[in-house]
């Protein structure tokens, strides 16, 4: 197909590619190294919303959260050197979380390369181990080629981040070049022979367990896999921070394998005789440092289905390995009717479901503020499409254990355990739909790393509600200290500022919660405020997680 050519700067060509590939939002901290891109974005402000964050890590985390929500690459633009270094955490999150993302970095001009010019970095070396593809565009005429490849790589197979460096003089070059067509991701499919093998393996199972996780699950795929599990009375669990894949209210859902997993669920995976894994990587968090499943050959019959063939057999050698995208697998399984198999494991499923229900219905916390009870009080009152964002830290255990998930509601959390993720992710989610309730769970440590992004929400009209757990300590590390070296606390105590004064200064609604019965009114007030909000929960560091206390850890160490 012929295409008329017109002279364009490299910056204009790049922005035209963003439009061609369907980009509607981008996140940035502006820099002089990509002024031509910013100038070209000025002309398309009605088509691409550009959100300028207060820190490059915040911008990158916003782009990553967008990728999670939409399954389309989140676009982040930063300047060279320090800007790229700050944004690297978002790239690492996108890599470990299998999130489609494209980081565009302004680079030093081409004649200055390899001279340690001002803020110069070799990005292929810097990002080589944490991105799917890293490249530098030295010829403006090839921008359409590079951008089309970036979108395909970010979304195909196992999704992930792509990094492109843009020399500032290349962006000012004027070229005549042909645009690429809109990208299409390459997705592996599942065949009839594969379904037959799965059925045959299930026919021999007495205690099967379905484990779903990873990225690439749209709402339809989530409904399809839930329907398959329900039709076959198959107990299903989710991998770490993927609880929104299966409706938690379904009788087949039995919990998640993550930092807040119940001991009963961990025991159940050891009792299973078949494990059907779809989309999950079987990484360290989901397998509790590779202990619940013994590598390289698990005790259970293992069927591993993943979008990337390289992921199958990386740690565990499955009896059946299939490279296929989760949505393709869910669609194929939805149409299978093997109900006669379910009779042999219906009681197994029922027991697992009851154990899950018991776990989310009890809390042994003491003191005036019982977080478990507070979560139980609100979980059925939250709108069905609520977005929950999770930071790193033990405080997220309350959201993971007590709240319920299922589309259209979402759970967005970094599986690589990055602090400072939750607030920018919540800002990103709220900017996409300000009318949607978005709750960010963050500790006092994590809030001080990215809480300033509330100003970004105020600037652009987002309304995230931040639940700030303030216990005056880096709680997770304090827990590990007390477990390994009781009463030898060092480096984990915090002296915090007045968080609510900070938040109010940025334009947020604020509330303090010291008692359980104060939480629901505070949350209702935040929702009704129609602006960003911070609810500070004063928690006791003695209650170090949903399942233990510092005193119990010390007693256990003493034997």
């Amino acid at each position: 197909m012929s295409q008329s050519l017109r002279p364009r700067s490299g910056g204009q060509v790049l922005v035209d590619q963003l439009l061609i590939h369907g980009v509607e939002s981008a996140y940035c901290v502006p820099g002089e190294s990509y002024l031509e891109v910013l100038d070209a974005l000025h002309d398309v402000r009605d088509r691409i919303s550009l959100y300028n964050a207060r820190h490059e890590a915040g911008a990158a985390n916003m782009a990553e959260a967008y990728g999670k929500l939409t399954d389309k690459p989140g676009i982040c633009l930063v300047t060279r050197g320090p800007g790229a270094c700050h944004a690297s955490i978002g790239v690492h999150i996108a890599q470990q979380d299998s999130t489609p993302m494209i980081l565009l970095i302004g680079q030093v001009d081409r004649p200055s390369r390899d001279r340690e010019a001002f803020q110069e970095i070799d990005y292929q070396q810097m990002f080589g181990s944490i991105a799917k593809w890293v490249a530098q565009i030295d010829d403006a005429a090839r921008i359409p080629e590079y951008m089309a490849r970036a979108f395909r790589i970010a979304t195909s197979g196992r999704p992930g981040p792509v990094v492109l460096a843009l020399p500032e003089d290349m962006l000012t070059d004027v070229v005549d070049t042909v645009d690429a067509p809109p990208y299409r991701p390459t997705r592996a499919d599942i065949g009839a022979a594969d379904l037959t093998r799965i059925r045959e393996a299930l026919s021999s199972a007495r205690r099967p367990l379905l484990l779903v996780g990873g990225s690439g699950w749209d709402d339809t795929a989530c409904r399809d896999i839930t329907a398959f599990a329900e039709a076959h009375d198959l107990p299903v669990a989710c991998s770490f921070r993927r609880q929104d894949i299966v409706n938690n209210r379904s009788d087949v859902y039995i919990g998640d394998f993550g930092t807040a997993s119940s001991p009963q669920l961990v025991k159940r995976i050891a009792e299973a005789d078949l494990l059907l894994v779809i989309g999950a990587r079987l990484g360290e968090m989901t397998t509790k440092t590779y202990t619940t499943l013994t590598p390289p050959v698990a005790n259970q019959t293992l069927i591993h289905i993943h979008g990337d063939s390289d992921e199958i057999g990386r740690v565990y050698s499955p009896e059946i390995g299939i490279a296929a995208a989760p949505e393709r697998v869910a669609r194929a399984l939805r149409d299978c009717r093997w109900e006669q198999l379910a009779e042999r494991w219906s009681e197994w499923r029922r027991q697992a479901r009851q154990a899950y229900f018991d776990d989310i219905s009890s809390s042994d916390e003491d003191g005036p503020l019982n977080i478990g009870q507070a979560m139980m009080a609100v979980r059925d009152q939250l709108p069905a499409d609520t977005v929950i964002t999770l930071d790193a830290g033990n405080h997220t255990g309350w959201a993971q254990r007590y709240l319920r998930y299922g589309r259209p509601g979402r759970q967005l959390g970094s599986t690589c355990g990055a602090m400072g993720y939750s607030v920018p992710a919540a800002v990103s989610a709220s900017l996409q739909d300000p009318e949607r309730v978005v709750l960010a769970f963050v500790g006092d440590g994590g809030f001080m790393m990215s809480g300033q992004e509330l100003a970004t929400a105020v600037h652009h009209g987002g309304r995230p509600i931040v639940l700030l757990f303030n216990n005056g300590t880096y709680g997770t590390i304090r827990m590990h200290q007390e477990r390994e070296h009781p009463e030898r606390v060092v480096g984990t105590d915090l002296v915090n500022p007045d968080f609510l004064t900070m938040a109010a200064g940025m334009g947020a609604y604020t509330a303090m919660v010291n008692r359980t019965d104060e939480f629901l009114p505070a949350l209702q007030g935040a929702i009704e405020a129609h602006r960003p909000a911070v609810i500070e929960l004063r928690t006791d560091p003695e209650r170090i997680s949903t399942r233990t206390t510092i005193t119990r850890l010390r007693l256990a160490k003493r034997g």
Side-chain angles (χ1 to χ4, degrees), residues 285-534:
M285 295 302 294
T286 296
T287 64
K288 290 197 176 297
T289 316
Y290 310 103
T291 58
T292 54
L293 301 177
T294 305
V297 180
N299 294 328
Q300 305 88 340
T301 297
L302 177 60
I303 305 172
H304 195 184
I305 306 175
H306 197 276
D308 184 358
S309 60
D310 290 340
E311 193 60 40
I312 298 169
R314 179 192 288 260
V315 179
Y316 300 95
S317 297
E319 184 166 319
I320 300 174
I322 302 169
E327 74 273 16
R328 306 284 180 87
V329 176
R331 183 177 61 196
L333 289 174
R334 176 199 61 195
D335 297 328
C336 294
R337 288 295 178 264
W338 308 328
E339 290 92 336
Q340 68 275 15
L341 299 178
E343 298 177 2
R344 69 182 68 195
W345 57 64
S346 59
E347 179 62 18
W348 157 259
R349 193 276 311 156
R350 189 198 65 77
Q351 292 175 358
R353 175 65 177 178
Q354 185 60 49
Y356 161 74
F357 190 78
D358 291 343
D359 189 56
I360 66 168
S361 303
S362 63
S363 173
D364 66 351
E365 301 172 44
D366 298 320
L369 179 53
N370 184 318
I371 302 296
Q373 291 290 342
M375 293 298 108
M376 284 187 267
V378 305
R379 67 183 172 202
D380 291 325
Q381 300 187 41
L382 293 173
D385 64 348
T386 298
V387 177
I388 306 295
T389 69
L390 304 175
D391 215 74
N394 283 1
H395 65 277
T396 61
W398 278 273
Q400 292 169 151
R401 178 178 175 181
Y402 290 107
L403 296 186
R404 291 174 174 165
Y405 302 88
R407 307 303 174 95
R410 294 301 304 269
Q411 181 190 71
L412 307 181
S414 164
T415 68
C416 84
M419 293 180 68
Y421 176 82
S422 180
V423 174
V427 172
S428 178
S430 186
L431 289 175
Q432 294 305 308
D433 184 358
E435 298 299 322
R436 195 173 189 178
V437 174
V438 179
L439 298 182
F441 283 69
V442 67
D444 43 353
F447 184 81
M448 288 298 288
M449 294 184 181
S450 62
Q452 73 278 358
E453 298 303 345
L454 281 174
T456 304
V458 171
H459 179 186
H460 295 285
R463 303 175 185 172
I465 299 171
V466 176
L467 305 182
L468 199 170
F469 291 71
N470 182 1
N471 64 358
T473 185
Y474 286 117
T476 303
I477 311 307
R478 173 72 182 277
M479 179 184 70
H480 294 316
Q481 282 182 328
E482 295 286 1
R483 187 188 62 218
E484 302 298 330
H485 307 287
E487 301 181 69
R488 294 177 59 82
V489 178
V490 60
T492 51
D493 288 337
L494 296 173
V495 176
N496 288 319
D498 184 332
F499 289 122
L500 298 189
T501 298
M502 288 177 58
M506 288 185 278
Y509 169 91
T510 62
M512 175 70 73
V513 171
N514 291 291
R515 301 193 318 270
T516 307
D517 61 1
E518 295 174 341
F519 180 68
L520 181 56
L523 180 59
Q524 291 171 334
I527 294 173
E528 294 168 0
H530 298 292
R531 57 189 169 111
V534 173

Side-chain angles (χ1 to χ4, degrees), residues 6-173:
R6 60 182 175 88
R8 292 174 290 174
S9 72
Q12 292 171 323
V13 174
L14 187 138
V15 170
D16 284 345
Q17 307 318 300
L18 296 180
L19 291 170
I20 287 169
H21 295 303
V23 172
E24 298 175 341
S25 301
Y27 308 85
C28 78
V29 172
E32 73 276 13
S33 59
Y34 65 98
L35 286 177
E36 291 301 315
V37 178
L38 291 171
D39 186 66
L41 285 168
H42 180 276
D43 295 332
V44 296
R45 287 174 294 171
D46 59 331
R47 301 176 65 186
I48 297 179
S49 298
L50 182 65
Y51 300 110
N52 54 328
R54 298 306 179 98
H55 193 281
E56 287 90 356
N61 285 339
M62 290 177 194
E64 196 278 345
Y66 176 91
K68 275 193 173 82
L69 273 173
T70 65
D71 287 327
K72 298 187 294 186
I75 306 298
C76 182
L77 303 98
V78 298
T79 196
R80 62 198 178 212
C85 291
H86 286 160
S88 64
I89 179 58
V91 176
H92 185 239
I93 293 171
Q95 175 73 3
Q96 292 225 323
D97 288 29
S98 304
T99 305
M101 176 181 172
I102 298 175
L103 177 67
L104 301 172
I105 306 172
Q107 173 64 304
V108 301
D109 61 280
R110 289 164 293 184
S112 298
R113 280 190 61 193
D114 301 324
R115 292 175 171 174
E116 197 180 345
F118 179 64
Q119 297 181 335
E120 181 182 5
I121 290 177
D122 183 333
Y123 296 111
Q124 289 175 313
Q125 288 192 11
M126 175 180 171
F127 289 102
S129 65
I130 60 171
K132 288 188 71 177
W133 181 47
V134 186
Q136 178 163 306
I137 308 177
D138 287 319
D139 182 355
R142 295 183 64 187
I143 290 175
E145 169 196 340
Y146 275 84
M147 291 298 292
R149 183 179 176 187
F151 276 88
R152 284 195 299 271
I153 289 176
T155 57
S156 298
R158 176 187 170 187
V162 169
V163 178
L164 291 178
L166 312 170
E168 58 182 320
D169 62 321
M170 180 275 296
L171 293 172
T172 63
D173 286 348

